Amino acid sequence: MSFSNLHAALTRVAPARVPEMLTDWDAQRTRATESGSFEPIKGFHLKWATVIELTRRRGLAQRMEAAQRVIHTLDRDAPEWRAAMDEVREVYNEARRAASVTG
């Protein structure tokens, strides 16, 4: 997925995050230039494609929000806290896999 496609998709699903994306884009282009590597650009694309998937797919977004509520309200020693952390990781990985396929 090109930068333009990512930008257009983010504008549709989470317009408030566009400034954050643009700042990140500038930072990653600088890192890529300084390092002589394309890896920062590839990481940028995967990160933002994942953010878009998480936002676009309401079911994933709801699961993430529910798990994050638990994480922010329970003590780390609670078994439910660990389960919520596992859910966050699972949801993120599902969105990342989907982003890798579509990107």
Side-chain angles (χ1 to χ4, degrees), residues 86-103:
D86 291 343
E87 175 72 349
V88 165
R89 185 174 30 261
E90 184 178 319
V91 168
Y92 180 81
N93 287 338
E94 185 176 333
R96 189 173 179 132
R97 282 190 302 275
S100 295
V101 170
T102 60

Side-chain angles (χ1 to χ4, degrees), residues 43-88:
F44 169 88
H45 282 263
L46 183 55
K47 171 188 173 179
W48 287 99
T50 302
V51 167
I52 290 163
E53 278 298 311
L54 277 169
T55 307
R56 180 180 78 76
R57 295 176 54 190
R58 190 66 198 140
L60 283 181
Q62 289 171 335
R63 286 173 56 200
M64 181 66 83
E65 291 163 7
Q68 287 178 337
R69 272 193 305 276
V70 170
I71 289 166
H72 294 297
T73 57
L74 292 180
D75 187 81
R76 288 180 176 216
D77 295 329
E80 296 89 351
W81 187 88
R82 171 55 39 210
M85 287 297 291
D86 291 343
E87 175 72 349
V88 165

Side-chain angles (χ1 to χ4, degrees), residues 14-35:
R17 296 205 60 191
V18 169
E20 177 188 354
M21 179 193 183
L22 295 175
T23 299
D24 191 24
W25 175 241
D26 289 341
Q28 298 315 315
R29 284 188 313 164
T30 299
R31 284 186 62 216
T33 300
E34 290 172 352
S35 68

